[in-house]
Amino acid sequence: MTFVGNRYRLLEKLGEGAMGVVYRAADRLTGSTVALKCVTISKKRLDFASRASVSGDLNLALAQEFRLLASVRHPNVIRVLDYGFDSQRRPYFTMDLVENARTIVQAGKGRAENMQIELLIQLLQALAYLHRRGILHRDLKPANVLVTPEQRVKVLDFGLSVTSDRAASLAGTLPYMAPEVLRGEPVGQASDLYSVGVIACEMVGGHHPFDAQNPTRLITSILQGVPDLSGIANPRLVSALLRLLDAIPDARYADAGQAILALSDAIGRPPPPETTAIRDSFLQAAPFIGREDELARLSDALTEAAQGQGSAWLI
């Protein structure tokens, strides 16, 4: 019987990737079952995709990153529940366990076009939120975009990426990498949108937009080739996907919101209304404005309390 952090009992392995191993785990504190990811890759090879990154102490950088990821709350983003370091000082974090889920490609294949676009829009809504929080995913692929039995998209494995030995910005999974990533150029929101375009082609068109069987040919095609969108009959949808897959980042949609509008227009429907859950997620993520003096007084009181000089405050 293996325990992590003296709180989680590992039950069975669910999967393994470049960054670590995922287990089903029992939370002894709450009695719930969660997904626990042990980060087994060297911490020096981890790259942070948010503004929370700090240089210097890697453990501090990881703790700060996990703290940000644990604050993410959106109906289409998997919840990070807890984080810490195990007995070997390896980082781990826990997430909601999504049972009986399929990848977005598996869930969308063979379905009506409007249902496929609905799944893609949910993915883009998650990206709109993450990007607003300053978080880039950088490893979007079908395995990281799950669909629950209730047809709710859940994006996972966001915020942390594994760097290659060639370039810190080269992180992700080759068939879904944007051209600028392969060139070692700075990545941005457009890089995530490119990955959405590849996923969309696989789901709607039934195949990868390039020859993904040979890595060398695949890299050449991503950098110089023309995407193969055969199998997609809707010309407006083809136009939207070609823009998502444009080799020039600035030629893609400016943000996930614009991509949502384009996909909605492609199937002749208005963009989906903003749900209460999505609206609340953006409100919770909004920056704190005003009350700087009050916040400073409370921060000073907290510092004094940490030094043994407690006080009581009515808020």
Side-chain angles (χ1 to χ4, degrees):
M1 190 176 296
T2 303
F3 291 92
V4 174
N6 294 319
R7 173 175 173 178
Y8 302 100
R9 178 165 60 89
L10 300 187
L11 301 176
E12 74 258 19
K13 183 189 292 187
L14 297 176
E16 187 170 0
M19 196 169 71
V21 185
V22 180
Y23 297 91
R24 183 192 305 270
D27 185 343
R28 297 195 295 168
L29 181 63
T30 65
S32 60
T33 303
V34 299
L36 185 147
K37 184 157 192 172
C38 292
V39 180
T40 56
I41 195 76
S42 168
K43 285 179 281 189
K44 292 182 179 180
R45 291 193 61 210
L46 285 175
D47 198 16
F48 308 121
S50 80
R51 293 176 299 217
S53 309
V54 295
S55 58
D57 189 325
L58 284 174
N59 284 342
L60 177 60
L62 271 170
Q64 191 165 339
E65 189 76 7
F66 286 144
R67 189 177 301 115
L68 173 69
L69 301 187
S71 72
V72 168
R73 291 292 182 269
H74 187 277
N76 297 119
V77 178
I78 205 77
R79 287 193 307 164
V80 174
L81 304 172
D82 187 26
Y83 57 90
F85 298 88
D86 64 16
S87 58
Q88 301 178 51
R89 300 305 297 162
R90 295 179 305 182
Y92 71 86
F93 58 96
T94 62
M95 304 167 283
D96 283 332
L97 179 64
V98 183
E99 301 277 17
N100 303 315
R102 295 182 292 169
T103 72
I104 188 171
V105 172
Q106 292 169 340
K109 268 189 176 179
R111 303 188 68 185
E113 187 179 80
N114 64 314
M115 299 301 295
Q116 294 172 328
I117 299 302
E118 163 61 24
L119 295 176
L120 291 171
I121 286 175
Q122 288 189 54
L123 167 56
L124 287 164
Q125 287 173 325
L127 281 185
Y129 173 80
L130 291 173
H131 291 166
R132 180 76 66 87
R133 296 293 305 269
I135 300 172
L136 302 176
H137 193 292
R138 296 191 299 178
D139 193 18
L140 277 175
K141 55 186 176 183
N144 285 339
V145 186
L146 301 182
V147 180
T148 70
E150 297 77 29
Q151 302 305 301
R152 173 68 60 84
V153 169
K154 293 286 186 179
V155 175
L156 59 150
D157 267 7
F158 55 92
L160 295 177
S161 294
V162 179
T163 63
S164 76
D165 295 328
R166 290 197 291 127
S169 62
L170 185 54
T173 303
L174 178 58
Y176 304 92
M177 284 184 183
E180 64 271 18
V181 178
L182 293 173
R183 290 192 292 262
E185 298 170 357
V187 300
Q189 297 181 19
S191 306
D192 281 346
L193 294 179
Y194 182 94
S195 301
V196 173
V198 177
I199 292 171
C201 288
E202 290 187 319
M203 180 172 63
V204 182
H207 57 82
H208 194 280
F210 301 109
D211 180 4
Q213 301 303 312
N214 181 286
T216 302
R217 284 203 301 269
L218 175 59
I219 291 173
T220 301
S221 298
I222 292 174
L223 293 174
Q224 304 173 4
V226 178
D228 175 10
L229 301 187
S230 60
I232 304 177
N234 183 339
R236 288 189 293 178
L237 181 56
V238 168
S239 177
L241 296 185
L242 284 174
R243 185 165 178 184
L244 283 171
L245 294 171
D246 199 293
I248 303 173
D250 288 345
R252 297 174 208 144
Y253 295 105
D255 53 43
Q258 284 195 9
I260 289 173
L261 293 176
L263 290 180
S264 299
D265 180 67
I267 58 174
R269 292 191 175 185
E274 187 179 74
T275 66
T276 300
I278 290 178
R279 183 166 58 250
D280 287 348
S281 70
F282 278 95
L283 289 174
Q284 293 169 19
F288 186 80
I289 299 175
R291 298 289 189 266
E292 287 83 2
D293 291 342
E294 291 85 348
L295 183 60
R297 291 170 64 189
L298 289 173
S299 297
D300 291 342
L302 181 61
T303 300
E304 292 174 356
Q307 297 171 350
Q309 303 173 18
S311 56
W313 293 79
L314 177 64
I315 301 176

